[in-house]
Amino acid sequence: MDSLDYSELAVPGVRELRPYTPGKPIDELEREYGVTDSIKLASNENPLGASPDALAAVRAALDDVWLYPDANGFHLKSALAEKHGVASDCITLGNGSNDVLVFLAQVFLQPGLQSVFSQYCFAVYPIATQMVGAEPVVAPALPEDHAAMPLGHDLRALFERVGPDTRVVWIANPNNPTGTWLDGQRVQDFLASLPGHVICVVDEAYTEYAESDALGDASTWLERFPNLVVTRTFSKAYGLAGLRVGYALSNPGLADLLNRVRPAFNVNSLALVAARAALGDQAFIERSRRMNSAGLEQLRTGLERLGVAVIPSAANFVLARFDRTGAELDEALLERGIIVRPTANYGLVNYLRITVGTEAQNRRLLNALAEIL
Ligand SMILES: *Cc1c(COP(=O)(O)O)cnc(C)c1O
């Protein structure tokens, strides 16, 4: 049985896939390195945890876990519809927004078709494209020495790669792993210029953290752009990464297609109640945003003092450029009980992506780097 060549059996898109690289869990670090009291600044989680309201809702719902969840997510969708001023049938719920990104690929891509994304974009876009056998088309990012937005999405380069076989363009605003962002007006101009056969996904996973209004809110553009899909998540500012909830906003006809491929019970019952309660606690989001802004500034000034270049970020992490490899620094930080994210898998070899932590965690990271450098 072992002689079976599974790879030969797999469909070509899957055979060529390289799996997503997650951040190292704290447990694993402590086991492997024999350290304790470690901190994780690797997965863009909220250092404040989750809203107490969300946690209370989960506890209250525990006794009902023997029941299947509401396959339609009625209450959560109603709350989201109210928040965004759209009808419930504009919403597609996901097991994290990763889930809805996969639905988009399943609905709009197949062998012979293409999706377009930027160099240094979120790793899930190429994975979703390849898993359904479609062709990934990479637009070069803005150069490393760009004055305003190094490594950012280049809308012109993206537009130039759209052709007759393109069905999806993926844009993250702000982007992960770079933290860079796009001006909302320019994204709207880009949307207006796209041909009608191209779906544009605007992934707003970090939008709650953006201090600037310049990014805009793509969910308010849906009426003007029938080919627009906006994705949001409860994993980042809402602090519910472990429960896995995200969603897409789109015109109802498009949402209907996404919901056809959605597994009926993809969002579990605890996640549904937690997300709904978290939405109601906007004071927590405010607190998270304020703490993040202070932390971004602390990391930026601290890193620059160490001679490290920092890419501008509107998210809850920074991408920092060093004069040695990220892998080497990552190892030295792990020995000191600090997990960050090396970015060599994105082609960013001399970089590390560092999630904004609490004031004390940021200080510990900066002190450790001062020692190492
Ligand atoms: C984290 C992230 C997501 C979503 O993650 P989920 O936990 O699956 O909701 C989506 N897009 C980007 C750019 C991200 O960084």
Side-chain angles (χ1 to χ4, degrees):
M1 286 299 271
D2 282 345
S3 64
L4 204 57
D5 187 346
Y6 300 111
S7 183
E8 276 298 309
L9 297 174
V11 296
V14 171
R15 208 178 301 152
E16 284 149 31
L17 272 185
R18 279 184 305 160
Y20 182 81
T21 321
K24 191 187 267 298
I26 284 185
D27 261 14
E28 193 177 306
L29 168 75
E30 300 198 339
R31 263 197 322 272
E32 286 177 6
Y33 286 76
V35 292
T36 53
D37 190 29
S38 48
I39 58 171
K40 183 179 176 204
L41 304 175
S43 299
N44 304 341
E45 292 145 341
N46 188 335
L48 287 177
S51 152
D53 294 356
L55 298 180
V58 167
R59 288 190 191 98
L62 267 181
D63 287 346
D64 289 332
V65 293
W66 59 281
L67 289 165
Y68 274 101
D70 172 9
N72 256 319
F74 176 82
H75 294 293
L76 177 57
K77 285 206 316 201
S78 304
L80 288 169
E82 190 185 326
K83 172 187 166 68
H84 292 289
V86 300
S88 281
D89 61 3
C90 295
I91 300 169
T92 308
L93 295 180
N95 188 267
S97 56
N98 194 328
D99 211 21
V100 297
L101 299 175
V102 172
F103 301 160
L104 283 158
Q106 290 174 324
V107 169
F108 293 108
L109 297 172
Q110 68 172 11
L113 297 177
Q114 301 175 332
S115 89
V116 178
F117 45 79
S118 177
Q119 186 184 14
Y120 314 128
C121 72
F122 186 43
V124 171
Y125 311 153
I127 293 175
T129 301
Q130 274 177 263
M131 75 168 66
V132 297
E135 185 191 346
V137 176
V138 184
L142 295 172
E144 203 172 39
D145 61 357
H146 190 270
M149 212 50 80
L151 310 180
H153 287 9
D154 180 344
L155 288 173
R156 185 187 302 254
L158 285 163
F159 181 75
E160 282 169 0
R161 274 148 190 89
V162 170
D165 297 329
T166 308
R167 289 295 177 278
V168 180
V169 179
W170 316 87
I171 290 175
N173 198 24
N175 182 47
N176 171 19
T178 58
T180 52
W181 69 94
L182 288 162
D183 183 275
Q185 187 53 55
R186 296 204 46 227
V187 178
Q188 290 173 78
D189 295 345
F190 175 81
L191 282 161
S193 73
L194 279 180
H197 66 275
V198 179
I199 302 297
C200 185
V201 181
V202 178
D203 179 344
E204 296 187 326
Y206 299 95
T207 197
E208 294 83 4
Y209 282 118
E211 284 286 0
S212 161
D213 290 336
L215 286 78
D217 173 353
S219 74
T220 63
W221 311 337
L222 286 169
E223 278 187 18
R224 280 166 46 225
F225 302 110
N227 56 342
L228 169 64
V229 180
V230 184
T231 62
R232 298 280 188 107
T233 182
F234 285 92
S235 298
K236 305 289 160 57
Y238 284 96
L240 297 175
L243 281 176
R244 317 298 306 128
V245 206
Y247 57 101
L249 299 167
S250 68
N251 277 270
L254 202 160
D256 172 50
L257 291 167
L258 296 177
N259 276 289
R260 290 187 206 185
V261 297
R262 182 182 68 85
F265 304 112
N266 65 331
V267 184
N268 72 69
S269 52
L270 300 181
L272 286 172
V273 295
R276 185 177 169 213
L279 269 185
D281 188 1
Q282 288 298 316
F284 176 81
I285 296 297
E286 251 322 280
R287 212 154 59 241
S288 300
R289 192 180 49 71
R290 274 202 305 274
M291 181 171 151
N292 186 66
S293 297
L296 269 181
E297 188 57 16
Q298 182 190 4
L299 284 179
R300 192 181 59 77
T301 53
L303 287 165
E304 285 177 354
R305 206 170 292 136
L306 296 172
V308 177
V310 179
I311 304 297
S313 174
N316 68 339
F317 57 86
V318 291
L319 184 65
R321 184 173 72 240
F322 298 87
D323 56 12
R324 61 183 98 176
T325 68
E328 187 185 337
L329 293 166
D330 179 45
E331 184 59 32
L333 287 167
L334 289 172
E335 284 164 10
R336 289 163 175 81
I338 302 173
I339 314 173
V340 297
R341 185 74 72 92
T343 50
N345 58 320
Y346 286 95
L348 296 163
V349 174
N350 279 13
Y351 288 83
L352 288 175
R353 194 194 68 191
I354 303 164
T355 302
V356 176
T358 61
E359 203 266 339
Q361 290 172 338
N362 299 335
R363 194 162 2 102
R364 188 166 148 195
L365 180 273
L366 291 169
N367 288 341
L369 276 177
E371 206 177 286
I372 297 162
L373 298 170

